[in-house]
Amino acid sequence: MKKTSTRLADGRELIYYDLRDDTVRDAADRRPLDRTVTTSEIRRDPLLGDSVAVASHRQGRTYHPPADQCPLCPTRGERLSEIPDSSYDVVVFENRFPSLAGDSGRCEVVCFTSDHDASFADLTEEQARLVLDAWTDRTSELSHLPSVEQVFCFENRGAEIGVTLGHPHGQIYAYPFTTPRTALMLRSLAAHKEATGGENLFDAVLEQELAGERVVLEGEHWAAFVPYAAHWPYEVHLYPKRRVPDMLALDEAARTEFPQVYLELLRRFDRIFGEGEPPTPYIAAWHQAPFGALEEFDGVTRDDFALHLELFTIRRTSGKLKFLAGSESGMSVFINDVPPERAAERLREVASS
């Protein structure tokens, strides 16, 4: 992998990740952009104890542009975009309309391919490995920023999810705090460790799931399963079999196998609802250990946390979505219409080709 860092016309950082070491990236951003001005602010809810990012400047962000005006496609001729070069393998750049900025963290966009009509599932194993390497590099770099406590790599796919740009891409949020969902995991981890005299909860969950009926895919180094208490109609968790706290700690064997397992999983997701159906909308969310202090989680260290990916769709059946209504939105109590065992069975049934 070759990494080349440059600056866009408004001062934002852009990084090319290339498969070939002899690739030259010297194209300049020719757009007449003013310096980016953001208004991101973090406000803490005194009752719930969580935090909300207030970012009014995002009201003016790019919204469903036509394909020939996509800002994530490479620059070609006089069609100028966020990527100055005429082609790319993987590109990461600072979001022009970030939810988090400055002392409030940082937001980045990850473009998986220059092919506007592709998806992550269309990538080759070599391309998918390059994305993993880019995620890993950004996790490392962002973790060293003084304002960052947790790094979250994710992909939103599909208009139903709320995606406003159709080009295959994901995002990275670098939060200045430990997110509420991670904090819940850490509290459960601490309680289980104390109650069992030191047993790791992630290890126990993985062992139990691998022995059960909800396994979807299993390789030598990775395992994918529908969790016992899945919140979403089709939800799969992907774990490395050797517990590591973050992407930085993955060994070469796990990195090599990841594209094979993940691409197969995504391709199966696209076939859940049968031939002729539109691509399955999904969220793919990487959970990594926070880089900040963990004193509030008694006895827990970063090494106790288990890196894993949670992949889920809001589509519950053909033509129908799972909406977060009163119980889910008002009380955070999910009601799942699809039994996890049936979801796992369906994902085993569908072949990717």
Side-chain angles (χ1 to χ4, degrees), residues 53 58 95 97-100 105-109 142 148 150-154 156 171-176 179 288:
R58 284 176 52 79
N95 198 321
F97 304 96
S99 302
L100 310 167
R106 175 158 158 151
C107 291
E108 298 182 341
V109 176
L142 293 170
V148 171
Q150 185 171 359
V151 179
F152 175 48
C153 305
F154 64 100
N156 297 333
Q171 299 183 65
I172 302 175
Y173 276 23
Y175 297 101
T179 62
Q288 305 191 84

Side-chain angles (χ1 to χ4, degrees), residues 35-315:
R35 300 287 295 187
T36 299
V37 178
T38 62
T39 58
S40 180
E41 176 189 359
I42 301 296
R43 297 187 181 183
R44 187 165 180 81
D45 186 318
L47 294 179
L48 297 179
D50 60 6
S51 298
V52 176
V54 180
S56 59
H57 62 277
R58 284 176 52 79
Q59 284 282 46
R61 66 188 184 273
T62 308
Y63 186 80
H64 291 300
D68 62 357
Q69 297 177 30
C70 175
L72 306 185
C73 286
T75 290
R76 291 189 178 132
E78 294 307 308
R79 193 183 90 172
L80 309 180
S81 75
E82 289 280 64
I83 296 93
D85 218 323
S86 59
S87 66
Y88 63 85
D89 291 335
V90 173
V91 166
V92 177
F93 60 87
E94 289 184 76
N95 198 321
R96 190 177 178 186
F97 304 96
S99 302
L100 310 167
D103 293 339
S104 298
R106 175 158 158 151
C107 291
E108 298 182 341
V109 176
V110 184
C111 297
F112 304 139
T113 171
S114 60
D115 184 352
H116 180 85
D117 298 317
S119 68
F120 200 116
D122 295 323
L123 300 182
T124 66
E125 291 184 11
E126 186 180 34
Q127 289 173 310
R129 167 61 188 266
L130 184 62
V131 175
L132 175 62
D133 290 342
W135 282 332
T136 304
D137 181 71
R138 296 316 300 153
T139 296
S140 176
E141 293 290 328
L142 293 170
S143 71
H144 289 95
L145 296 180
S147 63
V148 171
E149 188 166 312
Q150 185 171 359
V151 179
F152 175 48
C153 305
F154 64 100
E155 179 192 1
N156 297 333
R157 201 276 285 267
E160 300 94 328
I161 297 293
V163 174
T164 58
L165 296 175
H167 196 101
H169 73 287
Q171 299 183 65
I172 302 175
Y173 276 23
Y175 297 101
F177 50 80
T178 297
T179 62
R181 189 172 177 85
T182 302
L184 285 174
M185 293 182 193
L186 290 168
R187 292 189 188 102
S188 297
L189 188 62
H192 185 84
K193 189 174 185 178
E194 181 179 5
T196 60
E199 182 182 77
N200 184 277
L201 179 57
F202 286 110
D203 291 351
V205 167
L206 182 58
E207 181 180 1
Q208 182 177 11
E209 291 290 2
L210 288 179
E213 59 181 315
R214 290 178 297 275
V215 175
V216 176
L217 287 170
E218 185 176 359
E220 184 179 354
H221 304 284
W222 293 85
F225 57 87
V226 177
Y228 171 73
H231 289 58
W232 299 94
Y234 291 91
E235 174 181 343
V236 178
H237 293 190
L238 177 63
Y239 276 70
K241 290 186 175 179
R242 181 179 69 88
R243 174 167 42 91
V244 294
D246 52 42
M247 294 183 191
L248 303 173
L250 288 171
D251 59 24
E252 182 57 29
R255 292 181 182 280
T256 299
E257 187 182 77
F258 168 76
Q260 304 163 25
V261 176
Y262 188 48
L263 291 174
E264 170 67 14
L265 188 58
L266 291 180
R267 290 162 186 167
R268 290 192 183 200
F269 244 62
D270 270 343
R271 297 173 66 90
I272 294 173
F273 304 105
E275 296 290 345
E277 287 291 318
T280 302
Y282 65 74
I283 293 175
W286 281 104
H287 293 265
Q288 305 191 84
F291 290 94
L294 299 178
E295 285 85 356
E296 64 180 292
F297 309 104
D298 294 339
V300 171
T301 68
R302 289 194 80 251
D303 288 337
D304 290 322
F305 196 86
L307 167 76
H308 64 283
L309 180 138
E310 298 183 7
L311 172 70
F312 60 89
T313 180
I314 63 170
R315 187 180 292 164

